[in-house]
Amino acid sequence: MCREVAGIAQANNAITRYYQGGDVQANEREMTSIPMVAAVARSDEDFGVLAKSKFWPILNRDPSQRVWTDDYSNVPGALLRKWKEKSTIKAE
């Protein structure tokens, strides 16, 4: 759902950075997973040390994806995109 956050942020002149566990490894045997976290700020300076971290890159809006508003959201579409991303990663 971080891409949806990035779209909303960009529509409001904000920046999104995200974390996908760059310094942490998931362990399927122990049923652990890596969180995906999004942080939004008005400027890159507002991110402080996160702006300097290689583990918190900027996440841009997907131009093919409609921005969510009070009148529009697509949770099933977001879940389906995430499922497809995971399927592609496991196949590689």
Side-chain angles (χ1 to χ4, degrees):
M1 300 275 184
C2 287
R3 291 241 178 245
E4 290 73 18
V5 172
I8 295 166
Q10 188 172 353
N12 289 285
N13 299 315
I15 300 167
T16 304
R17 286 187 172 272
Y18 73 106
Y19 173 78
Q20 277 189 298
D23 56 343
V24 178
Q25 297 295 317
N27 185 331
E28 289 185 27
R29 186 172 185 205
E30 294 178 7
M31 303 290 287
T32 60
S33 60
I34 298 170
M36 185 171 191
V37 180
V40 177
R42 290 279 174 201
S43 70
D44 214 28
E45 295 79 33
D46 292 337
F47 284 112
V49 296
L50 295 184
K52 296 178 176 88
S53 173
K54 67 180 179 182
F55 300 118
W56 285 86
I58 290 178
L59 180 62
N60 292 311
R61 168 186 182 283
D62 179 351
S64 67
Q65 181 180 323
R66 187 172 167 191
V67 175
W68 288 15
T69 65
D70 289 342
D71 297 324
Y72 170 80
S73 64
N74 184 0
V75 174
L79 294 172
L80 183 60
R81 275 189 303 280
K82 186 67 174 174
W83 178 77
K84 285 181 180 179
E85 285 175 13
K86 281 188 163 192
S87 297
T88 303
I89 291 169
K90 285 185 179 182
E92 296 174 350

